[in-house]
Amino acid sequence: MSLLANLNPEQLAAVTLPNQSALILAGAGSGKTRVLTTRIAWLIQTGNVSPAGVLAVTFTNKAAKEMLTRISAMLPVSTRGMWVGTFHGLCNRLLRAHHRDAGLPQLFQILDSGDQLSLVKRVLKSMNVDENRFAPKQVQHYINANKEEGKRASEAEAYDEFSRRYAEIYAAYDEQCQREGAVDFAELLLRSFELLSKNEILREHYRARFRHILVDEFQDTNRLQYRWLKLLTGPGSVIFAVGDDDQSIYAFRGANVGNMADFERDFHVENVIRLEQNYRSHGNILDAANALISNNRKRLGKNLWTAAGHGEPLRVYEAQTDGYEAHWLAEEVQALNRDGLARREIGVLYRSNAQSRILEHALFSAGVPYRVYGGLRFFERLEVKHALAYLRLIASSEDDSAFLRVVNFPARGIGARSIEALQDAARAGKSSLYLAVPKLAGKAGNALGAFAAMIEALRREAAGLALPEIVEHMLAKTGLLAHFQAEKDGADRLENLKELVNAAALFVQEEDGQQDLAAFLAHAALEAGEHQAGEGADALQLMTVHSAKGLEFQAVFVTGLEDGLFPHDQSRNEADGLEEERRLMYVAITRARARLYLSFAQSRMLHGQTLPKVASRFLDEIPAGLVKWLTPRLGALPLHEPVLASARDSDIPKSLPRATQMGWRIGQNVMHAKFGQGVIVDAEGQGPDARLQINFGRQGMKWLALEYAKLRAA
């Protein structure tokens, strides 16, 4: 069968391009991998290049393996000698082959992120640097950021005493790496770039060898990667760049979408081919994606289409609260599964990791098997486990495992020797580690004593606080919040810690005012148990939108579509931040093959309080004709009219106005002398006839006459 069989006209044009640098704008689901691999196979089959003359760069090892497998299936050639891999993998191969020229030992070691951080800490200690001023993770980020810009320590910005000290640490770190014969990930690319820059003979050798350079996910390249590719491109070589500027969502990792426009200019690209036919999604989904992304100004431009028909409209669900949103989602997933759709074919996407907590809770309660793709479940996340360990110590000083987890986190100068001495004292006295603290003297005894005193103070202070306040107080007093605030990449961890306050508030609400810390810890342990589905099981897939890139599902739920959440608040402070968020939404939409749900809540629990939210502006950017509201559009009905039923019947309220005329707000938490804490879910009437419907948890739903109810804000 011909290699070119079953290619559409644009794919055929891309595969058979003449030997000129080209840019292939490949939309989501347009057969990008097929075009890349077929291009390589066609070049080899037609004698334009030998297998050894191809350099193909991908962003994941998985993509590289898939590419080699497909080429092997197309052609009877060995792929062993082909240079197909990630930037880091190919640079490692180059440096191994020319380690002497690169100034490296033959068996140099590659440091992963954890190893690199350990080395940074050793360097800081050897230089007597105060880790409170120069946090190890911040230093690590500084070093990597400079390397990704192609800057050594001597070229790093040093305009005051603080920045000069950073540069000195960077220089000392580089010296230590050289002594130990070790390279970090950023060093692989920088050292490879320097090698080719300085060694003309080597550079010309590889330029002559690699006549065809193919790059996947070109929109995700950073500046140094682009410069590395330019170095390898000689007068007789061409670059076949495949990418989608509309799916550039990794600016926080250094990705520079501007590389695509620079490539067009630098390489005088005459061949720009747009792969716009989509083989994944139905028409309504693509039309929504096209309409949304058209609001971005800096685009190269393309318009996805499909021959598969319009399909179903996008379903939009407006929930009263985030809890109702999660409950509705669990019910809808169960209904889809009953209708014959496998759970593994359903993806649930959210903007921020912290959002998974409320969803996991609802799925756990409903008995829906799920897996968190590419991440940990909420109660398994490191920062959450640290926080729970502190709470366990407040609840019981006998908990040795909790003690060991947090005694030196954040760092308090309590080292392994001090812990060993404490363990010996505890064994001798047959007591817990906590109770053995007074038996230690000297510096170790002082540091451990200060830690125990902090726990005692927290225990005393907790006695007069509500459960969510205990959690909030603990996060502040233990230094956990401050620790992650100081981290460059600590934003997600901070959100997860703040979400723990919400978890405590929800626990109180669901357990009829239960404020017992031990009961909450038991609840957390149960939800952290074995409910997550095992490998290979038919399970719902939960993930952030970033993790969803490259995946597809029959049905997709995009949740939490509220301004401040998606688009995220942080985007306001970043150049082109909103455009990046819109690209992220574009990626979310284009994960769906047949059915797409978009949901948001009128109120969401933040920091233990229920706060009003506004629907995401992205919803307004989707044409109304493509959308089916499962709930009435906000404000479309008078307060007293019955709520319309969704596509699937549910006992959850389907739509509520943002506010009443009575001084109370839908979604507001209230207290009643008899029924306790509740949340307002509906309202009707005016003046003396005004009534509120309130959900009192275990006490159930109640309609109360406002004149006699004597409600107060909770």
Side-chain angles (χ1 to χ4, degrees), residues 251-555:
F252 66 95
R253 291 184 192 166
N256 183 10
V257 67
N259 285 348
M260 298 182 83
D262 290 351
F263 172 65
E264 273 196 271
R265 185 186 62 250
D266 296 345
F267 287 82
H268 310 290
V269 173
E270 296 175 8
N271 297 308
V272 178
I273 293 178
R274 288 167 169 79
L275 303 182
E276 297 175 308
Q277 185 173 359
N278 178 283
Y279 295 93
R280 175 187 300 159
S281 307
H282 287 147
N284 285 334
I285 293 168
L286 297 180
D287 289 347
N290 289 332
L292 175 92
I293 204 65
S294 68
N295 290 281
N296 274 7
R297 293 170 290 108
K298 300 174 182 177
R299 296 179 66 223
L300 296 173
K302 66 181 179 316
N303 208 53
L304 298 180
W305 64 277
T306 181
H310 294 296
E312 301 176 17
L314 283 63
R315 292 163 165 83
V316 180
Y317 182 83
E318 179 182 13
Q320 170 202 342
T321 67
D322 51 351
Y324 280 100
E325 180 190 35
H327 187 75
W328 162 79
L329 184 144
E331 287 197 339
E332 193 70 18
V333 166
Q334 288 174 310
L336 289 171
N337 188 235
R338 285 194 298 271
D339 291 346
L341 185 62
R343 283 185 288 265
R344 69 173 65 89
E345 282 291 331
I346 306 171
V348 177
L349 314 186
Y350 35 82
R351 174 63 181 85
S352 168
N353 254 313
Q355 289 171 254
S356 80
R357 200 267 318 161
I358 189 75
L359 297 170
E360 288 185 61
H361 178 69
L363 294 167
F364 174 81
S365 302
V368 179
Y370 69 90
R371 288 193 66 78
V372 178
Y373 180 90
L376 298 168
R377 289 177 298 165
F378 180 78
F379 285 109
E380 289 177 340
R381 292 167 192 163
L382 175 139
E383 61 279 9
V384 175
K385 290 176 82 170
H386 283 334
L388 289 172
Y390 275 113
L391 293 173
R392 284 160 54 192
L393 275 181
I394 293 169
S396 169
S397 56
E398 302 293 312
D399 196 329
D400 282 358
S401 60
F403 185 97
L404 288 169
R405 172 175 277 277
V406 295
V407 68
N408 197 42
F409 191 94
R412 300 184 177 90
I414 301 170
R417 288 184 182 175
S418 299
I419 297 299
E420 283 175 23
L422 182 65
Q423 287 172 322
D424 291 343
R427 274 194 294 272
K430 295 183 179 178
S431 73
S432 68
L433 294 172
Y434 189 89
L435 294 176
V437 167
K439 297 176 182 178
L440 263 66
K443 186 180 176 184
N446 291 336
L448 285 162
F451 173 74
M454 179 186 71
I455 299 298
E456 283 298 326
L458 283 170
R459 190 174 288 138
R460 285 194 306 273
E461 290 155 2
L465 297 176
L467 183 59
E469 293 170 336
I470 294 173
V471 179
E472 208 161 15
H473 186 64
M474 175 277 297
L475 291 174
K477 290 292 183 180
T478 58
L480 281 177
L481 284 181
H483 174 82
F484 291 114
Q485 275 166 348
E487 282 194 356
K488 174 71 178 175
D489 301 317
D492 272 359
R493 296 193 187 278
L494 279 173
E495 285 190 12
N496 284 329
L497 289 177
K498 291 169 183 175
E499 187 61 29
L500 188 61
V501 181
N502 296 344
L506 184 66
F507 173 79
V508 172
Q509 189 177 312
E510 290 188 342
E511 297 300 318
D512 203 22
Q514 169 75 272
Q515 298 283 352
D516 185 56
L517 178 57
F520 173 64
L521 290 168
H523 160 80
L526 285 171
E527 290 221 353
E530 299 300 316
H531 189 66
Q532 180 161 244
E535 289 289 340
D538 182 28
L540 185 67
Q541 305 294 304
L542 270 63
M543 67 199 73
T544 63
V545 183
H546 280 105
S547 299
K549 178 117 184 298
L551 303 177
E552 58 184 72
F553 302 93
Q554 197 67 14

Side-chain angles (χ1 to χ4, degrees), residues 445-682:
N446 291 336
L448 285 162
F451 173 74
M454 179 186 71
I455 299 298
E456 283 298 326
L458 283 170
R459 190 174 288 138
R460 285 194 306 273
E461 290 155 2
L465 297 176
L467 183 59
E469 293 170 336
I470 294 173
V471 179
E472 208 161 15
H473 186 64
M474 175 277 297
L475 291 174
K477 290 292 183 180
T478 58
L480 281 177
L481 284 181
H483 174 82
F484 291 114
Q485 275 166 348
E487 282 194 356
K488 174 71 178 175
D489 301 317
D492 272 359
R493 296 193 187 278
L494 279 173
E495 285 190 12
N496 284 329
L497 289 177
K498 291 169 183 175
E499 187 61 29
L500 188 61
V501 181
N502 296 344
L506 184 66
F507 173 79
V508 172
Q509 189 177 312
E510 290 188 342
E511 297 300 318
D512 203 22
Q514 169 75 272
Q515 298 283 352
D516 185 56
L517 178 57
F520 173 64
L521 290 168
H523 160 80
L526 285 171
E527 290 221 353
E530 299 300 316
H531 189 66
Q532 180 161 244
E535 289 289 340
D538 182 28
L540 185 67
Q541 305 294 304
L542 270 63
M543 67 199 73
T544 63
V545 183
H546 280 105
S547 299
K549 178 117 184 298
L551 303 177
E552 58 184 72
F553 302 93
Q554 197 67 14
V556 167
F557 291 80
V558 185
T559 62
L561 281 169
E562 300 134 29
D563 265 4
L565 195 54
F566 199 179
H568 202 280
D569 259 339
Q570 289 174 352
S571 64
R572 298 176 186 177
N573 307 319
E574 298 164 358
D576 298 324
L578 184 59
E579 295 218 345
E580 176 109 348
E581 290 288 302
R582 191 174 281 111
R583 290 195 290 270
L584 198 57
M585 182 65 181
Y586 177 85
V587 167
I589 290 172
T590 54
R591 298 312 92 197
R593 290 199 287 266
R595 184 173 285 198
L596 178 62
Y597 295 88
L598 308 173
S599 65
F600 65 99
Q602 291 179 12
S603 63
R604 187 168 294 273
M605 194 175 284
L606 296 166
H607 318 308
Q609 293 185 312
T610 301
L611 300 175
K613 302 296 288 183
V614 176
S616 170
R617 68 193 69 190
F618 295 154
L619 286 169
D620 291 330
E621 294 174 0
I622 296 171
L626 304 175
V627 166
K628 176 184 179 181
W629 283 77
L630 300 182
T631 50
R633 191 74 193 262
L634 193 62
L637 294 175
L639 292 181
H640 63 273
E641 286 196 18
V643 173
L644 296 180
S646 91
R648 303 190 185 279
D649 291 331
S650 167
D651 59 357
I652 299 173
K654 299 299 185 222
S655 182
L656 299 161
R658 278 191 212 285
T660 75
Q661 303 298 312
M662 313 169 197
W664 298 95
R665 174 177 50 76
I666 303 300
Q668 186 174 357
N669 287 313
V670 294
M671 287 296 295
H672 185 270
K674 181 178 178 182
F675 303 121
Q677 186 170 336
V679 62
I680 299 172
V681 301
D682 204 354

Side-chain angles (χ1 to χ4, degrees), residues 125-250:
K125 192 172 181 180
S126 70
M127 295 175 72
N128 293 316
V129 172
D130 182 1
E131 289 192 10
N132 291 321
R133 287 195 72 203
F134 298 89
K137 281 213 168 182
Q138 289 289 90
V139 172
Q140 182 184 27
H141 181 268
Y142 169 86
I143 292 168
N144 290 340
N146 273 287
K147 287 187 177 186
E148 286 167 4
E149 287 289 321
K151 295 177 182 177
R152 288 292 178 192
S154 59
E155 301 162 305
E157 287 187 6
Y159 44 83
D160 59 15
E161 185 185 345
F162 194 66
S163 57
R164 281 193 291 274
R165 191 61 167 157
Y166 259 117
E168 288 168 6
I169 297 167
Y170 179 10
Y173 167 85
D174 261 358
E175 288 169 14
Q176 189 62 33
C177 284
Q178 195 64 33
R179 279 195 294 273
E180 295 184 16
V183 299
D184 53 54
F185 281 116
E187 182 71 19
L188 285 170
L189 188 65
L190 180 55
R191 188 70 67 104
S192 175
F193 176 78
E194 290 172 341
L195 173 65
L196 292 171
S197 299
K198 295 169 184 175
N199 193 320
E200 187 181 355
I201 295 171
L202 208 58
R203 182 171 68 249
E204 293 307 317
H205 164 76
Y206 281 104
R207 281 180 168 182
R209 174 176 175 173
F210 298 128
R211 314 299 289 183
H212 286 270
I213 300 172
L214 301 95
V215 189
D216 192 13
E217 305 286 7
F218 195 81
Q219 77 279 353
D220 293 334
T221 54
N222 63 30
R223 294 302 298 173
L224 186 58
Q225 288 165 342
Y226 181 55
R227 289 168 68 193
W228 184 81
L229 289 167
K230 284 175 72 176
L231 263 185
L232 280 169
T233 311
S237 45
V238 297
I239 291 184
F240 186 87
V242 181
D244 183 1
D245 57 325
D246 291 333
Q247 293 191 77
S248 180
I249 58 173
Y250 296 118

